[in-house]
């Protein structure tokens, strides 16, 4: 334990010592690195030193100038403060203190467009900026997160020995890869969170169907989820869902899930994912419906008014609970494949547009451990992209295509039963609609194009000729070339 006056310089510095920052600093120290620590409020530095100072080699610095001077060059500064203006404020304070070639890492949940702006600004100032997505929550930050760094490749060469050592490890591989230049790391982390939204909503819908149509108790559903966690659905989220459903509220003796307010919060990354998908023209219905489901849950006045006017739908319980359980498992798995397919498609599109060179197989590799969406089937996604790096969609990878074919009838049955009984399954339904849209040889978009041409002269293309065309709708009705 050091107090900042030692001659030996620190390997890395962490500024921002809320729980995530403090745990990340401790992770570095536990792995043998000398860590300079700083916080706007010195009390947090004192707290970390008093409670965890014996875990490794820390350099406690009283102010930002001392913090910077305590670092070995090129300095490696990790910012762990609230995303947005708070991050910009820290960068503004750091830049005058740093020298050419020093590296600034934003490891918060920054919006990727902010990262693009910051990277450009610091590059022009002679500094190197890395936007690094870090997933795994408080425990992951301490014990080994999934890390998604983007930005300058030379900067990553300096960071790699440290980041790869503190990251989660699966099959001897670190859950950390350089994602690509610019804002690639934060974009991928954002989409990771979007997939997480979809995964959580799909699990919640599965729970709702089992409870409403299957008549199962939370404890019984917990047992069902534990069984599922031994098969294709093996994942961190399935595991913790069983734990939540088994929890009994000490105040009432009821299942905890029955006393938690049914209004789900969100911090923005799911919304950013959907906004980015809209801007890039990528269909991400499963993710979008998961975001909207949280929004609907947080509209108590509207929900109460509609319930009062229309009442609840009369439910016809499933005649065979075991069959329902098996069908829901298949529907959940197929929908999960769709959510990941949509996320990977969004990342591929952004990577192509911004020349990031993101490798989908690398993402599947680093998401296998540490992060919230870690799941056994990520190994199969990794293998699918290794077999075909140009895979047009995860749904057509041989293994997953076979699984979807097996699940399809159950998938349709669950969505149909839920809709007939007034059980909302927006993410299940959107996933199935996406699958059905992709497999149609012809979609009604042709009619939409005709409508657009009539009211706005937006033109259309033909299936049997090159170029764009327009109908003189208010004239003689003739078709004319629009080229």
């Amino acid at each position: 334990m050091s107090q900042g006056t030692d001659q030996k310089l620190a390997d890395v510095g962490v500024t921002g010592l809320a729980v995530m920052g403090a745990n990340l600093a401790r992770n570095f120290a536990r792995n043998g690195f000398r860590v300079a620590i700083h916080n706007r409020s010195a009390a947090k530095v004192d707290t970390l030193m008093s409670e965890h100072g014996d875990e490794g080699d820390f350099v406690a610095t009283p102010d930002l100038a001392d913090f910077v001077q305590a670092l070995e060059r090129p300095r490696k500064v990790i910012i762990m403060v609230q995303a947005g203006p708070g991050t910009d404020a820290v960068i503004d304070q750091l830049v005058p203190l740093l020298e050419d070639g020093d590296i600034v890492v934003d490891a918060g949940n920054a919006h990727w467009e902010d990262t693009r702006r910051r990277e450009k600004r610091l590059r022009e100032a002679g500094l190197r900026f890395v936007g690094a997505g870090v997933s795994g929550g408080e425990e992951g930050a301490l014990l080994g997160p999934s890390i998604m760094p983007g930005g300058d490749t030379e900067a990553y060469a300096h960071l790699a020995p440290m980041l790869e050592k503190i990251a989660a490890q699966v099959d001897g591989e670190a859950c950390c890869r350089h994602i690509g230049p610019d804002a690639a790391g934060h974009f991928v982390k954002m989409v990771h969170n979007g997939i997480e939204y979809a995964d959580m909503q799909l699990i919640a819908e599965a729970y709702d169907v089992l409870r409403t149509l299957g008549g199962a108790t939370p404890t019984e559903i917990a047992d069902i989820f534990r069984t599922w966690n031994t098969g294709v659905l093996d994942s961190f989220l399935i595991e913790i869902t069983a734990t939540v459903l088994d929890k009994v509220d000490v105040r009432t003796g009821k299942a905890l899930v029955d006393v938690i307010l049914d209004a789900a919060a969100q911090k923005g990354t799911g919304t950013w994912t959907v906004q980015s998908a809209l801007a890039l023209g990528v269909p991400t219905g499963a993710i979008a419906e998961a975001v909207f489901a949280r929004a609907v849950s947080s509209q108590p006045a509207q929900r109460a008014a509609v319930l009062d006017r229309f009442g609840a739908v009369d439910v016809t319980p499933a005649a065979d609970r075991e069959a329902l359980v098996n069908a829901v498992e298949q529907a959940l798995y197929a929908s999960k494949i769709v959510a990941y397919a949509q996320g990977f498609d969004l990342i591929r599109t952004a990577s192509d547009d911004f020349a990031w060179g993101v490798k989908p197989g690398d993402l599947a590799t680093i998401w296998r451990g540490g992060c919230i969406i870690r799941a056994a089937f990520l190994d199969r996604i990794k293998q699918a992209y290794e077999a075909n790096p140009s895979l047009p969609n995860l749904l057509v990878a041989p293994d997953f295509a076979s699984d979807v074919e097996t699940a399809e009838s159950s998938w349709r049955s669950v969505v149909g039963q839920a809709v007939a009984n007034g059980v909302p399954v927006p993410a299940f339904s959107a996933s199935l609609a996406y699958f059905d849209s992709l497999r149609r040889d012809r979609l009604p978009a042709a009619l939409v194009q005709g409508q657009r041409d009539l009211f706005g002269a937006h033109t259309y293309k033909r299936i049997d000729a090159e170029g764009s065309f327009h109908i003189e709708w208010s004239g003689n009705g003739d078709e004319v070339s629009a080229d």
Side-chain angles (χ1 to χ4, degrees), residues 451-460 469-471 473 482:
Q451 294 168 333
R452 294 179 71 244
D453 187 59
L454 190 151
F455 68 67
H458 293 295
T459 76
Y460 58 87
F469 299 88
H470 168 63
I471 297 292
W473 296 100

Side-chain angles (χ1 to χ4, degrees), residues 15-68:
T15 179
L17 299 178
V19 176
M20 284 290 290
N23 281 1
L24 201 64
R26 293 169 60 196
N27 191 348
F28 279 117
R30 287 174 165 195
N31 277 283
F33 299 105
R34 194 165 210 237
V35 188
I37 54 174
H38 169 266
N39 194 78
R40 183 178 61 177
S41 165
K44 287 190 179 295
V45 176
D46 295 339
T47 298
L48 191 152
M49 294 300 290
S50 64
E51 295 182 358
H52 306 290
D54 59 353
E55 293 182 351
D57 194 359
F58 293 100
V59 182
T61 53
D63 59 43
L64 203 60
D66 290 334
F67 172 71
V68 169

